[in-house]
Amino acid sequence: MTVVETVLARTPEPLRSVLVKHRELLKFAIVGGTTFLVDNGVWYLLKLSVLESKPTTAKAIAIIVATIVSYVLNREWSFRTRGGRERTHEAALFFVISGVAVVVNLIPLLMSRYMLHLEVPHVSRLVQEIADFTSGSIIGMLLAMVFRFWGFKKWVFPDELGQRRREGVTRLPR
């Protein structure tokens, strides 16, 4: 029994129906939570060490690492019943959508640092870190997540391709 099946078996019925109906979104959110940890772990590791003076560069690198993890998890788990494109075409679309999402994710951090001047010496180190986390890891990531979910469902893993693949699999002789 898979982890998802185990969780669903222990979930009360009214909630179980909602979770089953929105299982792609739930899986996408779990992948997002995992990549959130990867993103922030890499970001703070870089930001507090070798890229201390370049927080936006550190965030961009962290997002790229998290995006690679996201592709593998989304391809193999969240949207495994969708898609059906050639793997290289699908990966190219995934990384184009993710590249645009990187820009979407960085906009709040750039605005916080360079338009609102929420950085040392204008504010304390604590205020700078809270502003960075709020703008880069909460606002930016939420905006990018909404964009990614929409883009992945529409272009990378479209259901009509997955539907044809699922129908082809069920028609095979047993």
Side-chain angles (χ1 to χ4, degrees), residues 17-133:
S17 298
V18 172
L19 293 176
V20 168
K21 183 178 179 185
H22 300 289
R23 66 184 163 273
E24 280 182 345
L25 181 59
L26 179 62
K27 288 179 176 182
F28 183 79
I30 292 168
V31 169
T34 303
T35 57
F36 176 83
L37 295 174
V38 170
D39 178 3
N40 283 297
V42 172
W43 183 32
Y44 277 95
L45 180 69
L46 293 173
K47 181 177 144 172
L48 299 175
S49 61
V50 296
L51 291 174
E52 187 174 356
S53 64
K54 299 180 185 248
T56 307
T57 302
K59 184 65 172 175
I61 292 169
I63 292 168
I64 291 167
V65 171
T67 299
I68 293 167
V69 172
S70 175
Y71 175 69
V72 172
L73 293 176
N74 278 305
R75 171 71 179 100
E76 299 302 324
W77 190 52
S78 300
F79 297 112
R80 71 179 167 79
T81 61
R82 288 176 163 263
R85 299 180 191 279
E86 182 182 317
R87 195 80 47 133
T88 54
H89 185 216
E90 183 180 86
L93 288 171
F94 184 94
F95 287 104
V96 166
I97 296 294
S98 294
V100 173
V102 168
V103 174
V104 170
N105 196 320
L106 290 174
I107 288 170
L109 178 61
L110 288 166
M111 290 175 64
S112 171
R113 278 285 181 126
Y114 305 114
M115 290 176 68
L116 300 175
H117 301 290
L118 294 174
E119 62 182 337
V120 174
H122 305 290
V123 296
S124 71
R125 174 77 179 214
L126 177 64
V127 170
Q128 173 184 289
E129 294 307 318
I130 291 170
D132 281 358
F133 184 79

